[in-house]
């Protein structure tokens, strides 16, 4: 609830105003205290009670509702944060930042002309005008005395030169010296080595002016001999470096069968095996005869068989390539002795067809062995 105290101007009113403004003149007088109810406020109204001039709320808020309707003044009011005392602001407290520079105003009217200044110095003389027409030819002068004439030389092929100063009269004949010589018949000879690079104009030496075999390798700059400079079929096998023709230098389908190793033996239905032999699919080619105690060569692609004398012992290669096949034949089987096979290391041999079945490290009793590796240390024989 708000409690309003309406009164005419009096000493009490003056005391209240002085108390609110912290007047120094009333500092010694007793305070007038007004306690407002919770949520209420202290209000000072106009004489007719229609306008609030001052309101102090229970929470401490101070309001001057009619302040904005008063006549504006140029003084800024501040308060002290500790005591709440009101008063003029200190210098620089209420000053805002400097505003942006305003736009340039329009150019003013041109002022009256000033008095004439002092005359400047005389300028430089201008360029000379064109020459006038030639005057009439003067009268011929008196003929001069007869000259001495040319002097005789001291050798054939000499030339007569004029002097270096006016009247540039003829001098005694001299012999031509330096990088050239002159004969008495007018033939000029240039000494060897006299014409250097800086004496030759660009593009003036034609092919006909170059001696045979005169341009050597050292005279050719790197990268200057391009394909268009080479004649067709001019580069022979002798001109190619070993291993210079790599895969990237070969066009697709450029190498024919006749250019492959043993190409003359190629026939329909044959293929070139890794050992350079042309065979039909499934055809076996002898790889050689092995001595007792030898290790059978590894032939992962098959197509090669090996032979050994009956009674010989051969060691199989490691069974570490899945699908690898070996074919081994016994020579002169008429004596009844076959080749004896033994596995390598921890490998085993699986006998799947003859002399019973079983797994071990030794196999014998057949004149022809065909073995297949499982890639995991086992040879299967049949």
């Amino acid at each position: 609830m708000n409690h309003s105290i309406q009164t005419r101007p009096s000493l009490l009113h003056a005391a209240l105003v002085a108390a609110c403004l912290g007047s120094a003149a009333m500092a010694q007088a007793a305070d007038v205290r007004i306690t407002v109810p919770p949520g209420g406020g202290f209000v000072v109204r106009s004489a007719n009670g229609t306008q609030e001039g001052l309101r102090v709320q229970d929470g401490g808020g101070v309001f001057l509702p009619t302040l904005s309707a008063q006549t504006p003044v140029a003084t800024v009011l501040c308060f002290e944060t500790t005591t709440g005392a009101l008063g003029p602001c200190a210098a620089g407290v209420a000053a805002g930042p400097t505003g942006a520079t305003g736009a340039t105003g329009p150019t003013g009217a041109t002022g009256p002309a000033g008095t004439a200044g002092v005359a400047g110095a005389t300028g430089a003389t201008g360029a000379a005008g064109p020459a006038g027409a030639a005057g009439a030819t003067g009268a011929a002068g008196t003929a001069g005395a007869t000259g001495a004439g040319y002097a005789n030389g001291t050798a054939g092929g000499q030339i007569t030169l004029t002097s270096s100063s006016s009247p540039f009269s003829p001098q005694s004949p001299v012999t031509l010296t330096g990088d050239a010589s002159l004969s008495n018949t007018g033939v000029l000879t240039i000494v060897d080595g006299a014409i250097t690079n800086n004496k030759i104009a660009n593009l003036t030496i034609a092919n006909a002016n170059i001696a045979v075999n005169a341009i050597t390798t050292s005279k050719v700059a790197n990268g200057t001999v391009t394909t268009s400079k080479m004649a067709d079929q001019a580069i022979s096998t002798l001109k190619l470096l070993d291993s210079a023709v790599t895969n990237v230098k070969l066009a697709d389908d450029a190498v024919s069968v006749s250019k492959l190793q043993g190409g003359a033996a190629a026939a329909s239905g044959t293929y070139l095996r890794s050992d350079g032999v042309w065979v039909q699919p499934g055809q076996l080619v002898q790889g050689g005869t092995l001595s007792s105690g030898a290790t059978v060569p590894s032939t992962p692609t098959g197509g090669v068989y090996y032979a050994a004398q009956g009674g010989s012992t051969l060691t199989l290669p490691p069974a570490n390539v899945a699908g690898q096949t070996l074919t081994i034949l016994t020579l002169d089987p008429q004596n009844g002795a076959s080749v004896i096979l033994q596995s390598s290391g921890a490998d085993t041999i699986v006998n799947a067809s003859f002399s019973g079945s079983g797994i071990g490290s030794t196999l014998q009793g057949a004149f022809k062995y065909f073995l297949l590796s499982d890639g995991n240390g086992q040879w299967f024989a049949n």
Side-chain angles (χ1 to χ4, degrees), residues 35-59:
T35 302
V36 299
F42 171 74
V43 180
V44 177
R45 293 180 177 274
S46 63
N48 56 12
T50 60
Q51 292 183 331
E52 290 185 0
L54 172 66
R55 171 181 286 275
V56 181
Q57 287 296 111
D58 178 29

Side-chain angles (χ1 to χ4, degrees), residues 259-289:
K259 297 297 191 295
L260 298 176
Q261 179 180 352
S268 176
T270 62
Y271 69 95
L272 180 61
R273 206 170 49 195
S274 60
D275 59 357
V277 179
W278 291 86
V279 296
Q280 295 180 348
Q283 178 184 351
L284 296 178
V285 177
Q286 184 176 8
T289 300

Side-chain angles (χ1 to χ4, degrees), residues 111-141:
T115 58
V118 180
T122 302
T125 303
T137 303

Side-chain angles (χ1 to χ4, degrees), residues 26 64 93 106 167 172 180 192-193 205 214 235 267 270-271 295 312 348 355 382:
M26 302 296 293
L64 301 173
V93 172
S172 298
D192 294 341
I205 298 179
I235 299 178
T270 62
Y271 69 95
T295 297
S312 300
T348 57
S355 299
N382 60 16

Side-chain angles (χ1 to χ4, degrees), residues 2-343:
N2 294 333
H3 292 271
S4 299
I5 301 177
Q6 298 182 4
T7 179
R8 295 177 182 178
S10 64
L11 293 176
L12 177 58
H13 190 186
L16 289 173
V17 174
C20 293
L21 298 177
S23 173
M26 302 296 293
Q28 301 302 321
D31 294 337
V32 176
R33 297 185 179 181
I34 298 175
T35 302
V36 299
F42 171 74
V43 180
V44 177
R45 293 180 177 274
S46 63
N48 56 12
T50 60
Q51 292 183 331
E52 290 185 0
L54 172 66
R55 171 181 286 275
V56 181
Q57 287 296 111
D58 178 29
V62 179
F63 301 90
L64 301 173
T66 61
L67 184 62
S68 61
Q70 305 303 311
T71 303
V73 296
T75 304
V76 180
L77 182 65
C78 295
F79 71 94
E80 209 282 327
T81 58
T82 303
T83 64
L86 303 177
C89 294
V93 172
T98 302
T101 303
T104 304
T107 304
T110 304
T115 58
V118 180
T122 302
T125 303
T137 303
T142 306
T146 302
Y150 284 101
N152 293 329
T154 58
Q158 292 184 321
I159 57 176
T160 300
L161 302 175
T162 58
S163 63
S164 60
S165 58
S166 180
F168 308 108
S169 57
Q171 304 297 302
S172 298
V174 295
T175 301
L176 185 66
T177 59
D179 293 335
S181 61
L182 183 65
S183 70
N184 61 342
T185 59
V187 177
L188 180 67
T189 302
I190 300 175
V191 300
D192 294 341
I195 300 178
T196 56
N197 288 341
N198 57 4
K199 297 188 173 62
I200 302 173
N202 293 334
L203 305 177
T204 57
I205 298 179
N207 187 55
N209 302 126
I210 302 174
V212 177
N213 298 326
I215 300 179
T216 60
T217 302
S218 61
K219 303 295 194 303
V220 181
N222 293 334
T224 57
V225 181
T226 59
T227 303
S228 60
K229 303 295 193 300
M230 301 177 189
D232 293 341
Q233 301 180 354
I235 299 178
S236 63
T237 303
L238 295 176
K239 301 297 192 298
L240 297 176
L241 293 175
D242 293 340
S243 302
V245 180
T246 58
N247 287 341
V248 296
K249 302 294 195 306
L250 299 176
D252 293 342
D253 301 325
V255 180
S256 63
V257 173
S258 61
K259 297 297 191 295
L260 298 176
Q261 179 180 352
S268 176
T270 62
Y271 69 95
L272 180 61
R273 206 170 49 195
S274 60
D275 59 357
V277 179
W278 291 86
V279 296
Q280 295 180 348
Q283 178 184 351
L284 296 178
V285 177
Q286 184 176 8
T289 300
L290 304 178
S291 301
S292 181
T295 297
V296 180
S298 177
T299 57
T301 57
V304 178
Y305 72 89
Y306 296 94
Q309 294 292 333
S312 300
T313 299
L314 300 179
T315 301
L316 298 177
N320 53 14
V321 179
Q324 176 182 354
T325 61
L326 293 176
T327 302
I328 301 173
L329 302 180
T330 299
L331 298 178
D332 60 9
Q334 63 274 9
N335 60 9
S338 68
V339 174
I340 303 171
L341 301 180
Q342 62 182 17
S343 61

